[in-house]
Amino acid sequence: MDRSTTTLLFIPGNSPGMLKNAPVFGADCLILDLEDSVTPAEKDAARILVRHALPWLKTQGTEVAVRINPFSEAFLGYEDMEEIALSPPDVIMLPKATKEEVQILSGLLDEIEKKKGLAETGIKIIPLVETAAAVVNMREIAGSSGRVAGLLLGAEDLTADLGVKRTRRGLEILYARSKMAMVCKAAGIAAIDTPFADIRDEAGLHYDAHTARALGMTGKAAIHPGQINVIRKAFTPDEEEIAYAARIISAMEEAEKESRGVLALDGRMLDAPAVAWAKQTLEKAKRATTW
Amino acid sequence: MNIPRRAEAGSTAKNDIHIIVEPPAVQSADGIDLELQSPCLRQFGRQIEEVIRETLARMGISRARITAADGGALDYTIRARVETAVRRALGGR
């Protein structure tokens, strides 16, 4: 889990059919959900099923995360951790995250890794930013443990907390997205955008994903397999970007050959940030084609 | 260990298995009384039965009546649903 992870797919943890088919959908990371997609009466069944499915899923070539229940809700989060400690995933996603709860979770993971002889801090944490308080405290949450590999924005819960409507245009989450992009870039961790809830609206998803990328988010969660390709394309440089990036690198190499300190392309002067953008663009494009 | 009460887990949805565990029909009966339904009974019936019995044995259950309706579940799903049903029967929910 890092800034190159662009597609993350939520899978209901109590659905054997979805778990079985999950690896073929091509997401960079599968999120096995024990929270919102599981009814209260089936929480026990879901965590036991996820625990049994994890060893098989981890052999299928994709990263596996588990979204547990919040620690604040009737100890459900603790029961989830007790169960999946027997078969740990790569990442734990912590909903309604606070700095203190991330640290509690990190402590639980220390014990699990020690008991099972796993690499220290190998299991990562993705806190979900879903409340106004979490948006305000984003930097502290991101820095609360060395295990934090990214932040995931939960817009549905956030807008409910704010008492505003979640819209297609997304103005209501502009600040949260922008802040997350900055905080995560500064911390060197992934900035994962909120899922797009309308699975029938492909144009809306396209706009939402491109907006997130333009603001500096590094990936986006999906709630349906059909959303993965749209998200992947949005977070992958297109042909025009790749061609321009390649031209910048060529111009840079030519300038170096001629010992010229000044770099120009199409009549425009280019400086170090432009070259850095070009290198990052080509690297992202290369990673996308090796998938 | 014995099953003190009836409990169930899973469903009849595709790729799932519905498991009912309950005390033996006859109080003095030993062993596991298993009734299995599956669309792949001929091809996979024995394997499904083995997975159910192994899971019960691992959990220390030696006397029980089990009803299983399989919808094409993988082994890990069968183990999970059996374990869930047993833990619910033992009051661990």
Side-chain angles (χ1 to χ4, degrees), chain A residues 3 35 82 88 102 174 186-187 190-192 197 204 223 231:
Chain A
R3 290 175 65 84
E35 199 210 7
E82 207 177 308
V102 171
L174 174 61
I192 304 161
I223 55 168
I231 293 171

Side-chain angles (χ1 to χ4, degrees), chain B residues 16-39:
Chain B
D16 203 347
I17 185 168
H18 184 233
I19 299 285
I20 301 173
V21 302
E22 48 199 333
V26 176
Q27 282 301 315
S28 58
D30 270 334
I32 305 295
D33 174 17
L34 170 61
E35 181 189 319
L36 171 63
Q37 291 175 347
S38 173

Side-chain angles (χ1 to χ4, degrees), chain B residues 68-83:
Chain B
D70 171 54
L74 295 181
D75 285 0
Y76 69 75
T77 300
I78 299 170
R79 287 189 200 101
R81 295 320 199 190
V82 170
E83 181 176 333

Side-chain angles (χ1 to χ4, degrees), chain B residues 5-63:
Chain B
R5 65 180 70 82
R6 185 185 186 279
E8 56 188 287
S11 73
T12 53
K14 198 175 167 203
N15 300 130
D16 203 347
I17 185 168
H18 184 233
I19 299 285
I20 301 173
V21 302
E22 48 199 333
V26 176
Q27 282 301 315
S28 58
D30 270 334
I32 305 295
D33 174 17
L34 170 61
E35 181 189 319
L36 171 63
Q37 291 175 347
S38 173
C40 326
L41 196 64
R42 218 159 53 93
Q43 299 92 328
F44 298 112
R46 194 194 293 189
Q47 183 175 341
I48 297 170
E49 194 171 319
E50 264 175 33
V51 172
I52 293 173
R53 288 182 185 280
E54 270 167 19
T55 306
L56 292 167
R58 181 175 51 79
M59 298 185 77
I61 304 298
S62 54
R63 297 176 66 235

